[in-house]
Amino acid sequence: MCGIVGYIGPRQAAPIILESLKKLEYRGYDSAGLAVFSDGEIVTRRCQGKLANLETALRQRPVAGSVGIGHTRWATHGRPSEANAHPHRAGSIVVVHNGIIENYLELKEQLLGKGAKFVSETDTEIVAHLVNEKVQKGTDFLTAVRQSLREIRGSYALVFINQKDPERLIVAKNSTPIVLGSRDGETLIASDIPALLDHTRKVTFLDDGEVAEVRAGSFRIFDEKGKAVSRPVKEITWDAVAARKDGYPHFMLKEIYEQPRTITDTFRGRISLKDGTVSLDGVSLSAAQARRIKRIYLVACGTAWHAALVGKFMLEELAGIPAEADYGSEFRYRAPLIDSRSLLLLISQSGETLDTLAAVEMAREKKARVLSICNVVDSSIARKSDGVFYTHAGPEISVASTKAFTSQLTALYLLAIGLGRLNGHLAKAEAKRLLEDLLHLPHAVEEALKLESEVQRLAQDLSGVSDFLYLGRGINYPIALEGALKLKEISYIHAEGYPAGEMKHGPIALIDEKMPVVVLLPRDRYFQKTLGNLKEVESRAAKVIALTDHDDQAVRAAAYRTLIVPEASHYLTPVVLTIPLQLLAYHAAVQRGTDVDQPRNLAKSVTVE
């Protein structure tokens, strides 16, 4: 959740840390701080609120030095405040932390009994005290960190600096991401790739339980037993420019407009129209293994769960395999009937979502196969999976997911076709037709983006409303859920999504002339039934916003506003319908003056329970 940066090398650390933290502010923005080794001592600057406040503090009181660590926080233990902002210090030890120390109260009581003084409400401060206690007794810095980790239960990415040993930083990881990058006599540490892209594209990820000793231009990695680990360097192909706004007022709008390209990048090089096949390179699944799969469990959280719901339709119909979509936060606490003939399919933009990641251990115990769809190369979920389908959406900076979602839908479509061909459920001719449909999708999305001015006017007209309802049927009802989620995430307007047929079972009681109702109405097998639902809404004086792919007079007559999207095939219509809903959420948020890219209380990657 929180953003971490570390630097050791020949250049001034503070400007590098600050600029790198800006690339990570989507991970948390309740408070921020940094610590730099300067003239024989560690100097800290911390503040409540966003990084702009820290930037002001550094202008007023600059800090010189070439070794430092920084942090931008999403609060877990302790309210947002300067006292609770990272870095935290005990004696000569200063630390930044992403994660949760589960047994911190027990450890804090032990430390208080030994005379330790605490100045914050956080769980992180106890880690600094644990390491400092050992260093003060003469234990080597690296050894002191490793010994302290044995006392800790929970998730963490930790970076330590020692005033008495400033030639190295110590890094530790468990269930929370951390990545290292070196070049030209300097080494950088970060909790996510975008923070490193201006400096290097050659990176190394730590695995759970590992500790790294980081020096200028080099690092050594050790496993839980202290044995040195050799790991190949990964090269990230994302362009650093892709993580900048490029003239757009917000990252979210930029990322919405990137979708024709990111969808193309997701299927580029994976399809053969001649053979009607999908290359599942990275998924490592043979025809025999595909035929053995009798049930698929799609596990995800938030927006990715909505992708999973759409994927359920695709996998059942195109691959002929029963599928269930589960919330990651619920799946780990029930007793799903998984066995060796089951496939666990994890969906996560970051590849670090803790609730989703926890499902892997359950699957391993039951001998199930684990595949994942994610966007971040070599992320924790990708590394723990038997196979991975990368979406190639590039860095997604806005907290509200847009291009990652449509890339996930594209990946699920490809996976469903690929599995259907492998297990014999899908004929070659049908697969060729489905893949030809996919080639037209980027253009359809480009055309849908041309609705922006119309959507902007709609958002202006509805800027004063406090509630929305979104309705859809079949494969498109998850898009109603996603449209409602986007609106509430960034505009703070209360919104709910429902299958249109369920409206009569409760939600209809809420409908009056004050409530806009968005109805997804493509001319598919459900058109007439959904049109009936629309008329039920209209008869109760609600403002109906119809999204359809045909200019139908009956729809126009009943709707307050009609938005016509390009026609797409049945399985790809959800992608096209998503575009105006993203734009509606965006412009509603702009109208209300909210922080579009960094909505309150949210973080991009949820790496704690």
Side-chain angles (χ1 to χ4, degrees):
M1 308 273 264
C2 305
I4 287 174
V5 172
Y7 176 83
I8 182 167
R11 294 189 285 166
Q12 287 295 309
I16 295 170
I17 291 170
L18 186 64
E19 288 305 310
S20 297
L21 284 175
K22 288 178 181 179
K23 311 291 196 308
L24 299 178
E25 197 172 11
Y26 60 90
R27 295 180 67 91
Y29 30 87
D30 293 330
S31 59
L34 57 72
V36 174
F37 184 74
S38 179
D39 294 328
E41 63 178 352
I42 295 175
V43 178
T44 62
R45 298 283 185 268
R46 304 186 302 173
C47 62
Q48 184 179 342
K50 296 192 176 184
L51 272 170
N53 296 341
L54 179 62
E55 192 170 19
T56 299
L58 287 168
R59 278 199 303 268
Q60 295 170 348
R61 294 188 297 156
V63 181
S66 59
V67 181
I69 56 178
H71 189 272
T72 181
R73 181 173 185 246
W74 186 82
T76 51
H77 290 82
R79 60 188 174 82
S81 67
E82 184 174 334
N84 290 330
H86 296 220
H88 289 286
R89 181 169 191 164
S92 66
I93 302 299
V94 180
V95 64
V96 290
H97 170 218
N98 176 23
I100 292 178
I101 308 301
E102 295 172 2
N103 61 333
Y104 88 102
L105 287 174
E106 172 190 334
L107 293 170
K108 187 172 184 178
E109 287 299 316
Q110 293 174 11
L111 289 163
L112 286 168
K114 296 176 184 179
K117 303 294 184 184
F118 288 84
V119 297
S120 78
E121 303 167 290
T122 70
D123 55 339
T124 303
E125 192 180 353
I126 66 106
V127 185
H129 281 280
L130 288 173
V131 176
N132 181 65
E133 180 184 46
K134 295 168 179 58
V135 168
Q136 295 303 316
K137 293 176 181 178
T139 305
D140 173 73
F141 183 22
L142 175 59
T143 303
V145 170
R146 293 185 59 242
Q147 290 177 353
S148 298
L149 295 177
R150 296 186 193 124
E151 303 177 51
I152 290 170
R153 295 196 310 270
S155 61
Y156 54 77
L158 295 157
V159 185
F160 299 88
I161 184 171
N162 182 358
Q163 184 168 292
K164 296 179 179 179
D165 189 358
E167 299 300 316
R168 54 181 174 164
L169 301 174
I170 306 298
V171 183
K173 177 199 183 302
N174 187 53
S175 300
T176 301
I178 202 78
V179 58
L180 312 177
S182 292
R183 67 154 208 181
D184 302 331
E186 61 184 3
T187 304
L188 293 100
I189 304 157
S191 46
D192 207 352
I193 291 169
L196 304 181
L197 290 178
D198 283 336
H199 307 283
T200 182
R201 288 188 293 173
K202 297 183 184 299
V203 302
T204 301
F205 293 85
L206 295 193
D207 278 339
D208 286 350
E210 291 182 342
V211 175
E213 178 188 64
V214 177
R215 298 182 184 272
S218 67
F219 52 84
R220 294 191 300 161
I221 301 173
F222 305 91
D223 65 16
E224 290 178 342
K225 297 180 179 179
K227 182 180 178 181
V229 175
S230 177
R231 180 161 302 127
V233 172
K234 298 282 185 177
E235 182 157 2
I236 303 302
T237 57
W238 298 350
D239 186 344
V241 175
R244 300 186 185 125
K245 290 181 184 175
D246 290 347
Y248 287 91
H250 299 95
F251 280 112
M252 183 179 178
L253 188 60
K254 171 178 178 276
E255 289 157 8
I256 288 172
Y257 272 87
E258 286 176 341
Q259 288 174 111
R261 177 181 60 77
T262 55
I263 290 168
T264 302
D265 287 346
T266 296
F267 70 71
R268 189 192 307 277
R270 291 187 179 272
I271 64 177
S272 170
L273 290 179
K274 178 183 176 182
D275 301 321
T277 57
V278 175
S279 171
L280 296 179
D281 182 38
V283 173
S284 305
L285 200 64
S286 68
Q289 289 169 328
R291 287 192 294 269
R292 183 173 167 76
I293 298 169
K294 300 304 179 185
R295 183 170 295 276
I296 299 175
Y297 294 88
L298 299 100
V299 178
C301 297
T303 286
W305 182 70
H306 297 153
L309 288 173
V310 176
K312 170 183 165 66
F313 285 88
M314 294 176 176
L315 288 161
E316 290 190 335
E317 296 179 22
L318 299 180
I321 305 172
E324 297 181 24
D326 268 277
Y327 283 114
S329 56
E330 294 294 324
F331 185 81
R332 64 193 295 194
Y333 295 115
R334 69 180 186 89
L337 300 177
I338 302 175
D339 58 25
S340 61
R341 296 172 300 173
S342 303
L343 173 66
L344 182 68
L345 180 57
L346 309 175
I347 308 172
S348 170
Q349 187 281 139
S350 67
E352 302 292 348
T353 309
L354 186 62
D355 286 322
T356 303
L357 192 57
V360 177
E361 303 308 320
M362 182 185 295
R364 292 275 181 247
E365 291 175 6
K366 305 289 186 178
K367 310 298 183 185
R369 190 171 190 83
V370 180
L371 300 182
S372 60
I373 294 173
C374 66
N375 190 42
V376 178
V377 174
D378 226 29
S379 58
S380 295
I381 286 175
R383 293 199 303 277
K384 289 179 180 289
S385 300
D386 296 312
V388 58
F389 194 122
Y390 286 116
T391 52
H392 303 298
E396 188 177 65
I397 304 303
S398 181
V399 167
S401 182
T402 52
K403 64 177 181 174
F405 175 66
T406 51
S407 293
Q408 288 163 355
L409 294 181
T410 306
L412 285 161
Y413 183 74
L414 289 169
L415 187 60
I417 295 171
L419 283 174
R421 292 288 283 130
L422 281 173
N423 68 11
H425 182 80
L426 196 61
K428 177 180 176 179
E430 177 65 6
K432 287 176 66 174
R433 185 188 65 77
L434 291 165
L435 293 174
E436 286 171 356
D437 291 340
L438 181 60
L439 293 180
H440 300 300
L441 181 61
H443 178 69
V445 171
E446 286 179 351
E447 291 299 306
L449 287 166
K450 293 179 181 178
L451 290 169
E452 186 186 1
S453 59
E454 201 172 340
V455 173
Q456 185 175 15
R457 289 193 295 272
L458 175 63
Q460 290 170 344
D461 293 345
L462 299 176
S463 60
V465 304
S466 57
D467 299 277
F468 263 77
L469 186 63
Y470 289 68
L471 302 175
R473 276 185 179 265
I475 198 171
N476 292 306
Y477 98 77
I479 305 306
L481 305 185
E482 172 62 11
L485 176 63
K486 281 291 155 290
L487 187 71
K488 72 180 84 170
E489 275 185 315
I490 63 170
S491 73
Y492 316 146
I493 295 172
H494 173 249
E496 298 296 335
Y498 275 90
E502 287 295 297
M503 180 187 63
K504 295 187 292 293
H505 299 278
I508 198 168
L510 299 172
I511 295 173
D512 61 18
E513 69 281 357
K514 297 178 182 178
M515 177 179 279
V517 180
V518 178
V519 182
L520 307 184
L521 197 65
R523 190 172 282 279
D524 58 13
R525 68 188 79 162
Y526 308 109
F527 177 78
Q528 289 299 331
K529 290 184 179 297
T530 312
L531 182 60
N533 297 136
L534 184 153
K535 290 194 172 289
E536 289 172 337
V537 171
E538 183 229 358
S539 68
R540 286 158 177 81
K543 288 183 169 65
V544 176
I545 299 140
L547 268 67
T548 184
D549 52 9
H550 283 76
D551 195 352
D552 188 286
Q553 288 305 309
V555 174
R556 283 195 180 274
Y560 167 72
R561 199 72 57 86
T562 302
L563 299 172
I564 301 174
V565 301
E567 188 175 1
S569 67
H570 172 69
Y571 298 106
L572 297 176
T573 296
V575 178
V576 181
L577 289 174
T578 294
I579 306 304
L581 299 185
Q582 292 173 344
L583 290 168
L584 178 60
Y586 171 78
H587 283 291
V590 170
Q591 285 295 313
R592 293 168 68 91
T594 64
D595 193 331
V596 172
D597 287 329
Q598 297 172 354
R600 67 189 181 204
N601 303 333
L602 295 178
K604 184 66 176 175
S605 176
V606 182
T607 57
V608 297
E609 282 197 77

